[in-house]
Amino acid sequence: MKRIFTTILFIAITLIVNAQWGSNDPTFNPTDYGYGYGDGANDNVFASAIQSDGKIIIGGNFTSFNGINYVRIARLNADGSLDATFNVGTGTGSVSSIVIQDDGKIIIGGAFTVYNGTSINRVARLNSDGSIDNTFNIGTGA
């Protein structure tokens, strides 16, 4: 009897607790007009984090965003457009995790070994403008 009651309760809760239906936000990434016309990241996005000002840091395996070269990490404005003030330079390997600290600095982790010409083994801290924070030293890295 107890097992039947538990099963019925589980089914009832499952039917009641459904997420709201989502919809596309046409104000987000307004320059994306479809395949081949500013399609956001040209490869996988593995991680994202929202800054206190609403801007979004994305990381992954992409090499461009809406046709503009941005290697594996980029910052988007709140409307989804690319924030050109976030200057990350060049790098190797994907970014798979992003954490934003209270002071606005950004910690990234992934399969990269170079970040904007600096040898970095898989963990780095960035300043809020995307430049490497040279005061963060993890030695030989992960």
Side-chain angles (χ1 to χ4, degrees):
M1 183 69 175
K2 191 174 191 182
R3 186 176 235 169
I4 293 172
F5 176 74
T6 304
T7 303
I8 291 171
L9 182 62
F10 176 75
I11 291 170
I13 290 173
T14 303
L15 293 174
I16 293 171
V17 184
N18 287 321
Q20 289 182 324
W21 287 96
S23 63
N24 186 32
D25 179 0
T27 64
F28 187 79
N29 195 10
T31 57
D32 185 356
Y33 299 113
Y35 183 74
Y37 301 99
D39 292 318
N42 70 340
D43 205 337
N44 295 328
V45 173
F46 299 131
S48 64
I50 300 176
Q51 295 180 305
S52 60
D53 61 0
K55 293 185 178 183
I56 306 162
I57 307 288
I58 60 170
N61 205 35
F62 55 90
T63 56
S64 70
F65 188 90
N66 284 348
I68 300 170
N69 289 340
Y70 261 79
V71 181
R72 299 181 173 76
I73 187 167
R75 182 167 61 194
L76 310 179
N77 294 307
D79 69 354
S81 62
L82 189 62
D83 179 2
T85 65
F86 191 70
N87 187 8
V88 298
T90 60
T92 62
S94 61
V95 173
S96 55
S97 61
I98 301 170
V99 174
I100 300 174
Q101 294 181 230
D102 291 339
D103 63 359
K105 293 190 178 186
I106 304 153
I107 297 178
I108 59 173
F112 54 89
T113 55
V114 175
Y115 185 89
N116 204 13
T118 302
S119 291
I120 302 284
N121 279 335
R122 295 168 177 75
V123 178
R125 184 168 65 186
L126 311 179
N127 296 309
S128 60
D129 65 355
S131 63
I132 192 82
D133 178 1
N134 290 317
T135 66
F136 186 74
N137 184 353
I138 60 164
T140 58

